[in-house]
Amino acid sequence: MTLGNNIKKYRRDLGITQEELAGVLGVTSQAVSKWESGSGLPDITQVIPLAQALNVSTDALFGFNQDNYDVKLAEEVNRKADELRDSGEQAEGALNAAEYLDQQCEENIFNYGIMTRYVQAIAHMSRFVNPNNSYYECLLKDDNKKWKQIVRTAENRAMQVIRYSDSKKLSDECHYALAWLCWHTSDWEKGRQHIEALPSVSNNMLQETLLPYYIDISTDAGKEKWKAQIRDNYQDFIRVINKHIVYTAESMMWVSPLKEVEENCLWGISIMDKFMENEKMKPHCQGFYRETYKFLVAAYLRNDEPVKAAENWKKLLSVIDEYVKMCQKVNEKDPEEIIRSFGEKAAGNMRTYTRKWIDGKLQFMLGQLKSLSKEETFIEFEKLI
């Protein structure tokens, strides 16, 4: 597309007239008309203000891929939000991440990836606002009006993503987050509507099952693509199973007898152990593996069994140490080779998984465990580890 066509497209996307755009830039509507028709060009000094007025990058204005720009920006914002969420106290971190993402949404009003991350952040934050939830920390207890406004903002932004984004993935993520948010706000009917909008594995008619059949394997490149699709399918299926194991472990930790929690967690961990016999599956198990062990250790601490808690914490550390070494070894290879072998998601996971990064996560987990146990029990646990 020409520069003029791009200006016209982004102006119309914003729903503003040539006169309104001209008013923002301090030029005449005739000048804007000439730009869009191709009979004139904006002055070089007007390029950056023009891009800002149209809420796009200068690259996008000149025809470079805006989608790629939006995705990369969203990834950068999400990393910063995760850092804020995982620093300090849990509730404070959740609020800081939500406020940062709210600001980013205001500055990037058509970035659906950032909007989705904001909705997810509010869903996470809701566990600390809901007095009926085990994680309740009295967040916004004295400002119910502000919390209601935050919920409305999250719902509105989610609806923008669902209605106007071309990404089914982002749409599903918004429905999923809103279902959790509705659960914490006791809006059961609306929550069920979001659940029903999500895909389900129950019908067993999944696109992943058929995708390998639609790949031409008559060439070496086709065969490699076919293998990669099968690898990606296994990784996705494993993530679904692992997520269910973690959520079940979390729920049982709060409400079930210790023996049941122990049996369920150890069974789930044994499944992940089996998955991780395949090196390419390890990056899609580590986070879930860590969280499952966390809830098992928490159950022991809550039942005043610091010795068993320490034993299982050490088992977790052993697996983490092995994975850190694996990541260090893999990351010595060419980045493109890593992506070809493990897939893009796994490659990104291994780039992130440094000793420093996981040590920060473990310290955060210890803070969580401390808040879930009696002081004297946790002190004994600390001595043992």
Side-chain angles (χ1 to χ4, degrees), residues 89-195:
E89 296 295 326
Q90 294 182 83
E92 180 184 359
L95 179 59
N96 289 341
E99 289 178 342
Y100 166 72
L101 287 162
D102 182 46
Q103 176 189 349
Q104 291 300 312
C105 285
E106 292 293 336
E107 294 177 6
N108 304 279
I109 59 175
F110 288 105
N111 191 308
Y112 296 121
I114 296 176
M115 283 187 190
T116 300
R117 188 66 181 82
Y118 173 79
V119 179
Q120 292 173 320
I122 302 308
H124 171 69
M125 179 179 159
S126 66
R127 64 173 58 191
F128 306 112
V129 181
N130 177 10
N132 299 316
N133 186 55
S134 302
Y135 285 99
Y136 178 53
E137 293 190 21
C138 305
L139 189 61
L140 298 180
K141 181 181 179 181
D142 300 322
D143 200 345
N144 190 49
K145 183 178 179 181
K146 180 178 179 180
W147 172 237
K148 287 183 177 179
Q149 180 58 50
I150 289 172
V151 171
R152 280 196 297 271
T153 300
E155 290 176 333
N156 289 339
R157 284 177 176 158
M159 287 303 103
Q160 280 185 266
V161 175
I162 291 166
R163 289 172 181 166
Y164 302 118
S165 170
D166 293 330
S167 171
K168 188 176 186 304
K169 178 179 179 293
L170 294 182
S171 178
D172 286 346
E173 287 175 352
C174 281
H175 279 301
Y176 192 88
L178 287 179
W180 273 116
L181 182 57
C182 288
W183 187 79
H184 283 295
T185 55
S186 302
D187 196 342
W188 315 117
E189 184 177 350
K190 188 184 291 183
R192 287 187 179 277
Q193 290 173 2
H194 289 298
I195 292 172

Side-chain angles (χ1 to χ4, degrees), residues 231 234-235 238 275 278-285:
R231 177 204 64 211
Y234 276 125
Q235 289 175 346
I238 282 171
F275 289 156
N278 183 329
E279 187 181 58
K280 293 179 178 61
M281 302 302 125
K282 283 187 177 183
H284 295 273
C285 292

Side-chain angles (χ1 to χ4, degrees), residues 46-82:
Q46 294 171 321
V47 171
I48 292 177
L50 177 58
Q52 291 174 336
L54 295 171
N55 195 44
V56 297
S57 67
T58 52
D59 282 353
L61 192 62
F62 284 97
F64 295 100
N65 194 315
Q66 175 69 18
D67 289 340
N68 287 345
Y69 174 81
D70 285 345
V71 169
K72 289 178 181 177
L73 177 60
E75 289 173 351
E76 174 100 15
V77 168
N78 291 349
R79 279 194 292 272
K80 174 65 175 176
D82 287 344

Side-chain angles (χ1 to χ4, degrees), residues 24 109 132 166 216 292 295:
V24 172
I109 59 175
N132 299 316
D166 293 330
D216 181 5
T292 304
F295 293 122

